[in-house]
Amino acid sequence: MKAIASLSAFVGKTFALWVILFAVLGFILPDTFKQLTPYIVTLLGIIMFGMGLTLSLDDFKEVAKRPVDVGIGVASQFLIMPLIAVALTMIIPMSPEVAAGVILVGCCPGGTSSNVMTYLSKGDVALSVACTSVTTLAAPIVTPFLVWLFASQFLPVDAMAMFISIVKVILVPLALGFLLQKLLPGVVKAAVPALPLVSVAGIVLIVAAVVGASKGAIATSGLMIFAVVVLHNGIGYLLGYFAARATGLSVAKRKAIAIEVGMQNSGLGAALANAHFSPVAAVPSAIFSVWHNISGAFLANYFSQVPNGEEATRAEAPAR
């Protein structure tokens, strides 16, 4: 078990590299990896089950302790990223499938890797975890509504079918993981060190499957989609930070909310796009999975050098 835990820790630390590797493999060997497309929802369900195994009541007590902070984070997540996505689809010419995919990933909840990046940035980890948990639980209602509101001009959106999909792929696995944690705490505690390995394996296979199924679209418009994803992610970090600062939150909380807003549950975006739109619509989510782990690591490294106390005022100057 120690060997598995060590391997899991190593894979977790080198997550971005594995995502890049499998994205390349998906492009080089499309016929191999596109066969995984029917299993994308199952893979995401396994990832969310793993998240359920690590959920704690303390994560939700944090919401009760400081509802304003969590409310600012959740509101920022579900307002900033969808609106940036809509703006990008208006400014940059793209096909209806890609536009719907960009909006979809923008309407997804925060990604769990944001919690790790917040820790590395010396930000408020408890706030990050609470925001991720709340946006994830709110996703079955909020995500379909926002996608219907903003993406139906590009492709038909069945909000009810999307709601059912998110319940199946998010809430049910989360609930089962949380229940197992209560029923067999000893077994779950022993298995937790291996969870990063399972999560990384699930994400990289989803990315490879989407890339393999959409090789043609990536070959013709991959650079444009990559540029859109970089802008979406970067502006999300920036506006998330300024939203937290504008509402008077501390530097540690600003770091958490900036990262929380900029990093999406792109695995969910890929699964929903593939199920309800097309493999091409899943490409923005797949590229987002690659890019936000790279950008998040760089941002966390920068933030880790920004003091969290009152003396941080001068250090924050470059971010203004």
Side-chain angles (χ1 to χ4, degrees), residues 215-231:
K215 179 178 178 177
I218 293 172
T220 56
S221 57
L223 286 177
M224 179 274 291
I225 299 173
F226 180 76
V228 170
V229 166
V230 170
L231 287 170

Side-chain angles (χ1 to χ4, degrees), residues 15-307:
F15 182 28
L17 296 177
W18 292 106
V19 177
I20 293 170
L21 173 62
F22 274 81
V24 172
L25 287 174
F27 191 81
I28 295 172
L29 303 169
D31 292 337
T32 299
F33 286 100
K34 71 181 181 182
Q35 295 180 48
L36 296 173
T37 304
Y39 304 103
I40 287 177
V41 170
T42 303
L43 289 168
L44 184 60
I46 292 170
I47 294 167
M48 299 314 299
F49 176 74
M51 181 180 173
L53 292 177
T54 61
L55 271 181
S56 164
L57 288 176
D58 290 337
D59 300 336
F60 300 100
K61 288 177 183 176
E62 202 66 31
V63 180
K65 284 181 188 175
R66 38 181 178 162
V68 173
D69 294 353
V70 176
I72 291 168
V74 172
S76 297
Q77 173 73 56
F78 282 130
L79 286 174
I80 290 173
M81 292 304 274
L83 292 177
I84 295 171
V86 171
L88 289 171
T89 62
M90 294 171 66
I91 295 168
I92 301 173
M94 60 187 79
S95 70
E97 290 86 354
V98 172
V102 170
I103 290 172
L104 175 54
V105 74
C107 297
C108 285
T112 54
S113 51
S114 64
N115 308 150
V116 177
M117 298 305 176
T118 300
Y119 171 76
L120 295 175
S121 73
K122 299 178 182 175
D124 191 330
V125 179
L127 176 59
S128 176
V129 172
C131 288
T132 301
S133 301
V134 172
T135 57
T136 299
L137 292 177
I141 299 294
V142 180
T143 296
F145 172 73
L146 291 175
V147 174
W148 170 79
L149 184 65
F150 295 126
S152 54
Q153 60 179 309
F154 298 107
L155 293 176
V157 176
D158 188 336
M160 180 55 67
M162 196 170 285
F163 163 78
I164 294 169
S165 292
I166 299 176
V167 169
K168 287 179 180 177
V169 82
I170 295 276
L171 291 193
V172 172
L174 275 177
L176 289 175
F178 186 75
L179 181 62
L180 187 63
Q181 178 191 152
K182 299 304 175 186
L183 295 176
L184 300 170
V187 174
V188 171
K189 187 176 180 181
V192 162
L195 290 181
L197 180 60
V198 175
S199 296
V200 171
I203 287 292
V204 300
L205 289 175
I206 289 173
V207 169
V210 171
V211 170
S214 310
K215 179 178 178 177
I218 293 172
T220 56
S221 57
L223 286 177
M224 179 274 291
I225 299 173
F226 180 76
V228 170
V229 166
V230 170
L231 287 170
H232 196 181
N233 173 239
I235 297 170
Y237 289 142
L238 190 65
L239 294 186
Y241 185 89
F242 282 126
R245 192 172 81 169
T247 49
L249 298 186
S250 68
V251 175
K253 293 174 184 177
R254 294 175 203 172
K255 293 176 181 180
I257 289 178
I259 293 172
E260 190 68 27
V261 170
M263 300 188 76
Q264 300 293 86
N265 187 337
S266 45
L268 175 63
L272 292 176
N274 189 69
H276 297 280
F277 296 145
S278 70
V280 173
V283 173
S285 292
I287 295 177
F288 209 108
S289 291
V290 178
W291 175 250
H292 78 167
N293 285 290
I294 298 171
S295 65
F298 281 113
L299 183 62
N301 181 63
Y302 168 73
F303 272 163
S304 69
Q305 300 170 52
V306 177

